[in-house]
Amino acid sequence: MVQPSFSSSDAANGDSTVSPTAPLDAFLDNQPQTFYESIYRAEEVIRAARDRQIFQPLVFKHQKFQWSLNDTFKRGMRNALTGLGTSNSFGVPYKRQARDPAPTAEELIDYGENTWESILKYMVSSGLGARVTGRPRNSVLSLLHASGLMVDQFDDTGRNPNYDRLTITSQGFQFLLEDRQTQLWQILMFYLARKQRRGEAAADILSLFFSLGCMQLGQDYSASKSFQNFPQGQQCLDDLEQYGFIYRRQEVDGRKTDQFFPTHLATSLCSGDTSVNRSATADDKRFLILETNYRVYAYTSNELEIAILNLFVNITIRYPNLIVGHLDRRHVKAAMDKGISAYQIISYLTTHAHPQMYNHPPPLLHPSVTDQLHLWDRERNRVQAQDTVMFEFYSKELFETCRDEAERMGALQHSVQRGQGMAKLIFVDPTIRESLRDFIKEKKQQLRGDL
């Protein structure tokens, strides 16, 4: 932005009628709204930094106001960016012997992908009656359950789940729809929150995450030296290995070596570089064709995508690179019973629509299909169970008085006024049962007194 000149020629000539701030006022009047919004945002950031003592008090030095960084913060920031000191922000390389085996970068990518996708495949395959292979460890399933991605439908309390009967939830299905980078960070945040509930420091765990994100694929590191300032670092590495973030060899006696290799899942945490992923590209993700007769054609051989489709599509034909199925009421409602909504199914079908579907006039999905999905979803909500208390009256006056009182209290659920000589009913919320009963007794006494 061009810096304005606030010097006024009129003021320099001694013209006292011109305000000294006129040039500044003219400059500010000509700025767009975004100029002031950026100032407010910068002020909020600076205020937060001052409150945390990142900035030292404002001083006037060398003809301008300056904020100096706190010395401790400055030193820690320099060490984190350069890897100096004891921060080991880039990890400490492992002193490998010539006889020590080392996996290649391609092998690390395959290991990370297979480990991560095995978890996703288990999420969509469990609970479908199919034989599930590659079951994750209980610690992984425990985190998936605690984070709400999977649930044991037979455990009403949610405290004693059976990990062999976990099924995917609506939140879990939404998790599958996210891109890989978002999935990884969501799992790490669930893991961090669980560690915090157990009293562990979040700063140390976050530091470990960022250190892994700054490491290099194919380079081996020392677990003991890279996280020597974090006593629980070894346990965190063991946990992250179960998700495919790192690879560690196992000794003959069962102990894990001090040497570990970060996979592409870890090294892309900070950079966001997904070019090394073995997963499908954006074009490969667009493989679905949906016809108005509810027939689905999926041009894919990805086992994970096929497993997701199997949640709500009746797959009838399967070729090496083509899946043919049908959206029917039974399969869609079975998916909805697991918490998957019609909006999520429509979102999945839209996101993975084949480029050929874009050749037709909008909307992308025909309204007859989307409307039917919404109708199937609403079938689950036709009848709703609700706790209630019923009161029976034969006096029309008492019935109307009590009905009006319950309505005034905002607890009237339903009222039934039938013919002469028949009982009249009101249904109210159980929370007002005692107060309404006392009200009825009082009204009965008043009616008897009038008689």
Side-chain angles (χ1 to χ4, degrees):
M1 183 177 66
V2 178
Q3 298 295 327
S5 174
F6 298 130
S7 60
S8 172
S9 58
D10 294 334
N13 296 332
D15 189 354
S16 59
T17 60
V18 179
S19 170
T21 62
L24 178 61
D25 295 338
F27 168 75
L28 295 177
D29 289 342
N30 294 327
Q31 297 307 309
Q33 180 67 23
T34 54
F35 174 78
Y36 298 99
E37 292 176 356
S38 62
I39 292 178
Y40 290 134
R41 283 196 296 268
E43 183 181 356
E44 292 175 1
V45 173
I46 293 174
R47 184 185 300 114
R50 284 201 333 241
D51 294 342
R52 291 162 176 78
Q53 298 183 353
I54 294 176
F55 284 139
Q56 293 179 351
L58 182 67
V59 295
F60 186 77
K61 190 175 181 181
H62 303 301
Q63 300 299 316
K64 57 184 177 181
F65 289 99
Q66 296 180 354
W67 268 303
S68 300
L69 286 175
N70 180 282
D71 293 337
T72 303
F73 178 82
K74 187 193 304 182
R75 184 168 53 254
M77 188 176 192
R78 183 186 299 113
N79 291 342
L81 294 176
T82 60
L84 297 176
T86 60
S87 63
N88 299 327
S89 55
F90 300 139
V92 177
Y94 181 77
K95 294 183 178 180
R96 188 195 313 165
Q97 303 297 327
R99 58 183 176 82
D100 291 340
T104 63
E106 290 74 15
E107 291 173 340
L108 291 173
I109 293 174
D110 288 340
Y111 172 80
E113 287 286 322
N114 292 335
T115 305
W116 179 254
E117 288 197 356
S118 66
I119 296 174
L120 301 183
K121 289 176 184 177
Y122 183 85
M123 290 178 61
V124 297
S125 301
S126 61
L128 293 178
R131 185 174 179 270
V132 181
T133 58
R135 178 184 183 276
R137 297 183 185 179
N138 284 346
S139 57
V140 176
L141 297 178
S142 176
L143 181 64
L144 296 178
H145 176 267
S147 57
L149 302 181
M150 300 189 76
V151 66
D152 180 4
Q153 296 180 341
F154 299 95
D155 179 27
D156 296 332
T157 62
R159 299 176 181 176
N160 301 301
N162 185 339
Y163 295 137
D164 292 326
R165 61 189 184 200
L166 293 180
T167 56
I168 191 171
T169 63
S170 176
Q171 184 180 350
F173 188 75
Q174 184 63 42
F175 175 81
L176 295 176
L177 298 181
E178 304 289 353
D179 61 85
R180 173 62 57 82
Q181 201 70 5
T182 303
Q183 290 177 347
L184 295 177
W185 273 111
Q186 281 188 1
I187 281 292
L188 291 179
M189 291 300 100
F190 290 142
Y191 178 81
L192 175 65
R194 194 172 198 188
K195 286 290 187 180
Q196 282 185 289
R197 290 194 294 269
R198 295 177 177 176
E200 298 188 26
D204 293 334
I205 301 175
L206 280 174
S207 177
L208 184 144
F209 293 164
F210 292 130
S211 294
L212 290 176
C214 294
M215 293 180 181
Q216 294 182 1
L217 181 65
Q219 173 67 51
D220 51 347
Y221 296 88
S222 170
S224 59
K225 295 180 180 179
S226 298
F227 309 108
Q228 58 184 353
N229 296 328
F230 182 27
Q232 287 78 30
Q234 298 291 332
Q235 180 60 49
C236 286
L237 288 178
D238 291 341
D239 294 338
L240 295 179
E241 182 183 7
Q242 300 174 26
Y243 299 92
F245 287 99
I246 67 167
Y247 168 77
R248 296 180 77 177
R249 289 189 301 107
Q250 201 167 15
E251 297 286 6
V252 179
D253 57 1
R255 294 183 297 106
K256 293 291 180 68
T257 64
D258 186 54
Q259 177 193 36
F260 76 92
F261 293 82
T263 68
H264 67 295
L265 301 182
T267 57
S268 63
L269 285 175
C270 295
S271 64
D273 181 17
T274 58
S275 59
V276 295
N277 283 0
R278 193 190 64 190
S279 56
T281 62
D283 291 336
D284 295 333
K285 289 286 187 180
R286 299 164 62 183
F287 55 84
L288 281 176
I289 292 180
L290 176 62
E291 297 181 337
T292 55
N293 59 359
Y294 307 104
R295 188 171 291 275
V296 177
Y297 299 90
Y299 293 90
T300 182
S301 57
N302 188 299
E303 293 294 333
L304 177 59
E305 301 295 353
I306 296 173
I308 294 176
L309 282 174
N310 196 35
L311 285 172
F312 55 88
V313 174
N314 180 18
I315 297 178
T316 56
I317 303 175
R318 180 168 179 175
Y319 296 113
N321 62 344
L322 173 64
I323 303 296
V324 181
H326 191 263
L327 282 174
D328 59 22
R329 182 174 180 273
R330 182 170 66 89
H331 284 78
V332 171
K333 290 200 67 176
M336 291 175 174
D337 289 339
K338 294 180 175 62
I340 301 172
S341 67
Y343 291 102
Q344 290 176 321
I345 295 177
I346 294 172
S347 174
Y348 181 85
L349 296 173
T350 303
T351 303
H352 296 83
H354 194 277
Q356 184 178 345
M357 294 190 63
Y358 289 87
N359 297 333
H360 300 279
L364 187 62
L365 302 182
H366 198 274
S368 63
V369 178
T370 56
D371 290 347
Q372 185 60 65
L373 288 173
H374 285 301
L375 289 175
W376 284 334
D377 197 5
R378 291 171 185 169
E379 285 182 6
R380 300 182 301 142
N381 303 321
R382 285 180 176 177
V383 179
Q384 294 181 349
Q386 189 176 15
D387 294 334
T388 188
V389 175
M390 184 188 75
F391 287 89
E392 187 178 33
F393 303 89
Y394 285 91
S395 168
K396 180 180 179 181
E397 182 179 357
L398 185 59
F399 163 77
E400 293 176 349
T401 303
C402 294
R403 181 193 60 191
D404 295 341
E405 176 66 14
E407 190 173 6
R408 185 189 65 80
M409 299 172 68
L412 179 65
Q413 297 173 340
H414 187 60
S415 63
V416 179
Q417 185 174 2
R418 295 183 285 192
Q420 186 70 23
M422 300 181 67
K424 301 166 183 60
L425 309 175
I426 65 170
F427 299 86
V428 299
D429 191 278
T431 57
I432 70 163
R433 175 172 53 184
E434 298 301 328
S435 59
L436 188 61
R437 184 179 296 171
D438 295 338
F439 178 82
I440 293 173
K441 289 180 180 179
E442 181 181 348
K443 288 300 177 182
K444 282 184 177 180
Q445 291 177 357
Q446 292 180 1
L447 290 175
R448 292 193 186 100
D450 293 340
L451 292 175

